[in-house]
Amino acid sequence: MKRERNIAFIVELLLLFVILLFVIVVITQTFMKSRGQSLYARHLTEAVTLAEEVAEVSASAADLTDAADRFDAMEQVQEISSLSGEGLDLVMDFAAENGVHDRYRVELDWLEEKAADSSAGTSAGSRFVTKQIRVYFAEETVPIYTLDSGDFKEQA
């Protein structure tokens, strides 16, 4: 009879051990998923900030060459290259307050359209510039954030 109690105790102990392992695995997966979501949220926030900065700087530029010169003066821009004359490819660093530096690649597509008529309140020499800004984290091939922007530029 004493032997039966021993076997029941061991079976119960093993069952509790399996349940404990299952709980540990579930909790670990929950924390890992939470960490992944937190990193994605941080990268998305940084990408939105960079896209906003690129939109503001490009809005103040007269043309694509002027925009490239203005981006070159920014300290977070590490590298600038041209995208077949219709845009720019920028490599930018985002420096967080905690000292972490994340690298992003920003593509700026610049499309100019001449204003059709002056009846819409625009001068005949103005042009509408449509910009699409795509922000990629590190070496990713899918943009983490895309911003469409546009503004009127007066002819000098």
Side-chain angles (χ1 to χ4, degrees), residues 10-83:
I10 292 174
V11 169
E12 185 179 351
L13 186 64
L14 288 175
L15 183 63
L16 288 174
F17 182 70
V18 168
I19 291 172
L20 178 67
L21 283 177
F22 178 74
V23 169
I24 289 172
V25 167
V26 169
I27 289 174
T28 303
Q29 286 177 342
T30 303
F31 282 124
M32 294 300 290
K33 187 170 185 173
S34 173
R35 171 75 174 150
Q37 290 293 321
S38 176
L39 284 175
Y40 175 75
R42 187 185 90 206
H43 294 314
L44 182 59
T45 302
E46 292 174 351
V48 169
T49 303
L50 289 176
E52 180 182 295
E53 289 177 3
V54 168
E56 289 174 359
V57 170
S58 64
S60 66
D63 57 12
L64 191 58
T65 306
D66 186 29
D69 292 340
R70 290 173 190 247
F71 289 129
D72 194 32
M74 294 174 66
E75 67 182 54
Q76 65 257 53
V77 174
Q78 303 301 315
E79 183 181 321
I80 300 174
S81 57
S82 179
L83 292 174

Side-chain angles (χ1 to χ4, degrees), residues 71-142:
F71 289 129
D72 194 32
M74 294 174 66
E75 67 182 54
Q76 65 257 53
V77 174
Q78 303 301 315
E79 183 181 321
I80 300 174
S81 57
S82 179
L83 292 174
S84 67
E86 294 181 357
L88 296 173
D89 191 12
L90 310 168
V91 175
M92 300 179 77
D93 281 343
F94 187 93
E97 292 177 3
N98 59 0
V100 175
H101 291 278
D102 291 324
R103 181 145 296 185
Y104 293 88
R105 186 171 55 87
V106 180
E107 290 180 357
L108 168 66
D109 292 337
W110 184 288
L111 179 65
E112 293 187 19
E113 302 171 12
K114 294 272 187 203
D117 60 3
S118 58
S119 63
T122 61
S123 64
S126 67
R127 63 197 194 288
F128 184 71
V129 178
T130 304
K131 292 170 254 173
Q132 185 178 60
I133 302 162
R134 291 180 302 280
V135 183
Y136 301 85
F137 176 69
E139 300 297 321
E140 296 288 325
T141 57
V142 177

